[in-house]
C-alpha cells in the first residue's frame, strides 16, 4: 500500500469537533516531522474531511458500492448482526476477508497485522488484497493500516452502557473476576470498587468496554491503582463533564505516537506503552480529544438502540441496497429484548432507573462515547431526511419480516434446544441462552442457500469463509510403488 494522495486520503478530521481537530492536526503534523518513518509517508496529503453529504435519492448519479471495509466489532452491542451482513455480502460478491487464525485477533491485546491469516508484510511478496476486516479486535490504527487501504470505509457500533452492562454481566460473569464475585449486577453497581480491580483478569469487560474496544487510553486510576477515586454519590450522567461538540482548541493534545499506541493499559497482564506524564487523562479535554480523534477515523458509528435507522444510513453511505443490509439478529440472549424495549420506552421502575444511572456513571467513558455518537447519528438522520428515513426503515422491516416468514420455523429466533443442525446452532456462552434459527423445510436450492446465509452464526460463517479462502491442500499419494515394482 503506497502513500496517501489527497484524492485517496480517508482518515480525515470531522467537522463536529473542528476546533479540537485543528489543534490536534497541527500538533500531529509537527510531531511527525520529528517522528519520521513509515507513518510520516502514510499520512502525507492529510486534509480536513468534508462535511457528510447524504445521497440525493434515485434521481442522483449512480454511485459505486464500497467494498473496502473495516468494521470494529464491539462487544455486546449488536455487532454480530452486522457481522452477518458483512459475511453475506462478501461471500456473495467474492470478496476477501482479513481473517483471524481462530475467531478473534488476539483480543484483549491490541490488534496486530501479523495475526491476519495469510498476511505478508509489505515487501514480502505479492498477495491478493483484503476487502473486509470485521472480526473481534481491540482497535489499533497503525496495524490496521498495514492490512487495509487507508481509503477503506471505517465503521463501528455503540450501545447505551446501561444496556451493555446488563448483557455483559450475564455473558461474561464466568470470565470477569469482578462480575464473578458479585451476586448481581445491582450489587456490583452499588459498590463496584468492592469487586473491580484494574488489570485483574477479564475485568476489562466490567468497565468502559466500548472505550477499551476502541483502543483508547485510560485515566491512570483505571489502569494502575486501586481505590484512589470513588464514584460520586449522585450517579447522574450530568456529572460526566463531557464537553459539547465544537469545543475550542484549548483541549490538551496527545503526543503523536499516542494516535497509534494508547497509554499503558493492562488486560490479562498485557501492557501497552505509556503516554507523557504531563497529560491529564481524566480531564474533559482528553475525552473531547478522544472523541474528535474517533471522528477522524470512523466514517459511521451505528447506535444499537436505533439499529434499523443505522442500517439505512450504512446502506446509503456504502451505496448498497436495502437487501444488502437486511438480516436477522444474531447472538441475542433469551429475554434480552424485553429489558431493552422497556428502557427505550421509558417503562423502567425506580430500581431499574437507579441501576441505569449507576451503570452510566461507572462506565463514564462509554457514556461519553455513546452520547457523542448518538448525537452524530441523529445529525446524519436530519441531513438524510426524517420522513425519507422512516419510509426506508419501514421497507427494511417489511423485507426482514418477509424473509423470516419464508426462511424460518416460527418466523423468529428459537431456544437453542430446538436447533439440531450444528451448522446453525449458536455458540452457547454465559448464563443466558443464545438464540438461533431453524430453517423451513422444502425450500428450493437457491432459497435454501440464502436462508442459510441469513441464519448462520458468526463462528460457523467464519469457518465457512476460512475454508473458501484457504481450501485444504489435498496431497495426492505418491505412485512410487509402480516405479519400484519389478
Amino acid at each position: 500500500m503506497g502513500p496517501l494522495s489527497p484524492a485517496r486520503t480517508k482518515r480525515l478530521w470531522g467537522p463536529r469537533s473542528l476546533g479540537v481537530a485543528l489543534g490536534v492536526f497541527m500538533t500531529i503534523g509537527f510531531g511527525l516531522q520529528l517522528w519520521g518513518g513509515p507513518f510520516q509517508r502514510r499520512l502525507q496529503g492529510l486534509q480536513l474531511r468534508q462535511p457528510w453529504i447524504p445521497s440525493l435519492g434515485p434521481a442522483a448519479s449512480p454511485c459505486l458500492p464500497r467494498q473496502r471495509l473495516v468494521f470494529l466489532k464491539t462487544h455486546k452491542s449488536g455487532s454480530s448482526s452486522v457481522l452477518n451482513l458483512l459475511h453475506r455480502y462478501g461471500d456473495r460478491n467474492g470478496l476477501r476477508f482479513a481473517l483471524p487464525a481462530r475467531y478473534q485477533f488476539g483480543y484483549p491485546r491490541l490488534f496486530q497485522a501479523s495475526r491476519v491469516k495469510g498476511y505478508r508484510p509489505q515487501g514480502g511478496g505479492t498477495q491478493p488484497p483484503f476487502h473486509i476486516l470485521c472480526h473481534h479486535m481491540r482497535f489499533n490504527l497503525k496495524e490496521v493500516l498495514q492490512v487495509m487501504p487507508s481509503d477503506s470505509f471505517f465503521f463501528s457500533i455503540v450501545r447505551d452502557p446501561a444496556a451493555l452492562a446488563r448483557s455483559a454481566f450475564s455473558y461474561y460473569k464466568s470470565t470477569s473476576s469482578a462480575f464473578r464475585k458479585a451476586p448481581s449486577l445491582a450489587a456490583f453497581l452499588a459498590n463496584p470498587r468492592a469487586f473491580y480491580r484494574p488489570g485483574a483478569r477479564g475485568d476489562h469487560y466490567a468497565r468502559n468496554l466500548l472505550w477499551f474496544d476502541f483502543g483508547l487510553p485510560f485515566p491512570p486510576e483505571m489502569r494502575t491503582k486501586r481505590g484512589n477515586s470513588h464514584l460520586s454519590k449522585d450517579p447522574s450522567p450530568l456529572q460526566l463533564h463531557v464537553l459539547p461538540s465544537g469545543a475550542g482548541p484549548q483541549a490538551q493534545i496527545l503526543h503523536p505516537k499516542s494516535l497509534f499506541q494508547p497509554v499503558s493499559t493492562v488486560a490479562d497482564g498485557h501492557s501497552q506503552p505509556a503516554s507523557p506524564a504531563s497529560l491529564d487523562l481524566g480531564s474533559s479535554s482528553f475525552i473531547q480529544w478522544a472523541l474528535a480523534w474517533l471522528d477522524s477515523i470512523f466514517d459511521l458509528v451505528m447506535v444499537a438502540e436505533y439499529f434499523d435507522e443505522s442500517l439505512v444510513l450504512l446502506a446509503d453511505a456504502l451505496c448498497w441496497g436495502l437487501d444488502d443490509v437486511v438480516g436477522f439478529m444474531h447472538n441475542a440472549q433469551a429475554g434480552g429484548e424485553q429489558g431493552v424495549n422497556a428502557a427505550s420506552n421509558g417503562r423502567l421502575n425506580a430500581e431499574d432507573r437507579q441501576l441505569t444511572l449507576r451503570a452510566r456513571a461507572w462506565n463514564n467513558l462509554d457514556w461519553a462515547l455513546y452520547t457523542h455518537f448518538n448525537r452524530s447519528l441523529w445529525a446524519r438522520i436530519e441531513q438524510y431526511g426524517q420522513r425519507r428515513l422512516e419510509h426506508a426503515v419501514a421497507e427494511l422491516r417489511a423485507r426482514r419480516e418477509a424473509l423470516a416468514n419464508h426462511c424460518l420455523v416460527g418466523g423468529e429466533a428459537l431456544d437453542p434446544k430446538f436447533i439440531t443442525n450444528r451448522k446453525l446452532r449458536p455458540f452457547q456462552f454465559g448464563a443466558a441462552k443464545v438464540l438461533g434459527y431453524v430453517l423451513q423445510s422444502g425450500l428450493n436450492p437457491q432459497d435454501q442457500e440464502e436462508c442459510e446465509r441469513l441464519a448462520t452464526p458468526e463462528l460457523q460463517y467464519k469457518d465457512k469463509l476460512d475454508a473458501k479462502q484457504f481450501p485444504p491442500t489435498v496431497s495426492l499419494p505418491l505412485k512410487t510403488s509402480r516405479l519400484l515394482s519389478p
Side-chain angles (χ1 to χ4, degrees):
M1 181 170 58
L4 288 176
S5 65
R8 286 175 50 82
T9 187
K10 164 58 196 55
R11 311 277 56 87
L12 310 173
W13 286 102
R16 289 186 297 279
S17 301
L18 186 58
V20 176
L22 285 171
V24 176
F25 175 74
M26 291 186 290
T27 302
I28 294 170
F30 174 74
L32 288 173
Q33 295 178 23
L34 303 177
W35 191 11
F39 306 120
Q40 183 177 9
R41 295 190 297 274
R42 188 177 302 282
L43 294 175
Q44 286 174 355
L46 193 67
Q47 60 186 15
L48 292 181
R49 176 188 288 170
Q50 297 301 311
W52 178 81
I53 302 174
S55 67
L56 300 178
S61 301
C63 54
L64 295 176
R66 301 288 296 270
Q67 295 189 336
R68 296 295 178 88
L69 312 172
V70 176
F71 174 58
L72 175 60
K73 186 179 186 295
T74 54
H75 287 80
K76 312 313 298 174
S77 299
S79 59
S80 293
S81 304
V82 180
L83 192 66
N84 179 261
L85 72 88
L86 293 174
H87 281 165
R88 288 184 285 117
Y89 185 88
D91 193 13
R92 284 195 307 265
N93 291 281
L95 305 184
R96 190 165 183 259
F97 288 81
L99 296 172
R102 299 198 60 173
Y103 299 105
Q104 299 183 354
F105 290 108
Y107 189 89
R109 298 178 182 89
L110 287 165
F111 173 81
Q112 295 293 321
S114 60
R115 291 187 174 274
V116 174
K117 192 172 182 178
Y119 166 76
R120 290 188 293 273
Q122 294 178 9
T126 59
Q127 64 178 1
F130 294 112
H131 296 94
I132 301 177
L133 173 64
C134 60
H135 293 87
H136 267 313
M137 64 173 163
R138 187 171 183 222
F139 190 67
N140 184 359
L141 179 61
K142 166 192 167 184
E143 291 292 315
V144 167
L145 290 175
Q146 297 293 326
V147 177
M148 299 297 296
S150 59
D151 62 351
S152 300
F153 185 91
F154 281 60
F155 70 113
S156 188
I157 186 169
V158 296
R159 185 182 187 185
D160 187 322
L164 192 153
R166 290 179 174 92
S167 180
F169 185 84
S170 172
Y171 200 79
Y172 296 115
K173 188 165 177 58
S174 64
T175 305
S176 166
S177 62
F179 287 161
R180 189 167 55 249
K181 289 181 288 187
S184 66
L185 179 61
F188 173 78
L189 291 173
N191 187 17
R193 301 273 178 195
F195 308 101
Y196 175 82
R197 295 292 181 268
R201 185 173 182 82
D203 276 9
H204 61 284
Y205 293 116
R207 190 178 193 192
N208 291 312
L209 180 55
L210 290 173
W211 194 271
F212 183 89
D213 285 352
F214 274 95
L216 293 168
F218 280 86
E221 64 90 12
M222 291 185 183
R223 294 186 279 116
T224 56
K225 299 180 182 179
R226 300 180 181 181
N228 330 2
S229 67
H230 300 275
L231 288 176
S232 166
K233 292 182 180 180
D234 176 13
S236 167
L238 298 177
Q239 298 288 328
L240 299 181
H241 306 299
V242 180
L243 292 184
S245 295
Q250 293 81 12
Q252 290 177 294
I253 305 303
L254 284 177
H255 188 276
K257 289 188 179 181
S258 296
L259 285 173
F260 304 104
Q261 297 180 348
V263 299
S264 179
T265 55
V266 181
D268 293 352
H270 306 296
S271 299
Q272 301 300 334
S275 72
S278 59
L279 182 66
D280 179 9
L281 292 177
S283 68
S284 59
S285 58
F286 163 73
I287 294 175
Q288 186 65 21
W289 172 86
L291 298 176
W293 183 72
L294 292 179
D295 278 338
S296 77
I297 303 303
F298 288 88
D299 297 276
L300 173 68
V301 176
M302 305 169 65
V303 175
E305 283 73 16
Y306 304 102
F307 190 74
D308 289 342
E309 291 84 354
S310 296
L311 287 179
V312 170
L313 294 179
L314 178 66
D316 182 71
L318 296 179
C319 196
W320 290 7
L322 284 185
D323 286 334
D324 294 319
V325 298
V326 69
F328 305 147
M329 295 302 293
H330 281 267
N331 208 33
Q333 299 179 53
E337 286 301 311
Q338 290 88 334
V340 171
N341 292 335
S344 62
N345 294 329
R347 291 187 278 104
L348 295 175
N349 58 36
E351 182 179 352
D352 286 335
R353 285 196 297 271
Q354 180 71 2
L355 186 146
T356 294
L357 291 174
R358 289 182 184 275
R360 290 171 177 172
W362 172 246
N363 297 285
N364 61 324
L365 301 178
D366 279 6
W367 179 244
L369 269 178
Y370 178 79
T371 55
H372 176 79
F373 287 118
N374 182 61
R375 187 163 52 240
S376 69
L377 182 82
W378 283 94
R380 294 181 75 131
I381 288 173
E382 184 177 351
Q383 290 183 288
Y384 184 90
Q386 183 75 38
R387 299 184 71 175
R388 180 183 168 210
L389 182 82
E390 290 172 358
H391 177 77
V393 167
E395 184 177 352
L396 179 73
R397 290 172 178 170
R399 295 187 190 191
R400 180 186 296 134
E401 183 178 4
L403 283 170
N405 291 332
H406 181 67
C407 291
L408 306 176
V409 170
E412 61 183 1
L414 299 176
D415 187 290
K417 69 182 179 182
F418 298 113
I419 305 172
T420 58
N421 186 343
R422 294 181 61 183
K423 293 193 300 182
L424 299 181
R425 193 175 193 274
F427 176 61
Q428 299 298 308
F429 187 82
K433 295 177 181 178
V434 178
L435 304 178
Y437 301 101
V438 177
L439 298 186
Q440 297 272 19
S441 59
L443 296 169
N444 66 51
Q446 183 178 356
D447 288 354
Q448 177 76 21
E449 181 180 15
E450 186 56 32
C451 290
E452 280 189 3
R453 284 182 173 139
L454 285 159
T456 300
E458 61 181 276
L459 302 188
Q460 289 93 321
Y461 216 136
K462 184 268 173 186
D463 287 341
K464 175 185 175 181
L465 295 170
D466 200 313
K468 185 177 180 179
Q469 285 186 202
F470 304 97
T473 303
V474 179
S475 57
L476 297 175
L478 294 176
K479 299 181 179 180
T480 55
S481 57
R482 290 185 180 179
L483 300 175
L484 298 177
S485 59

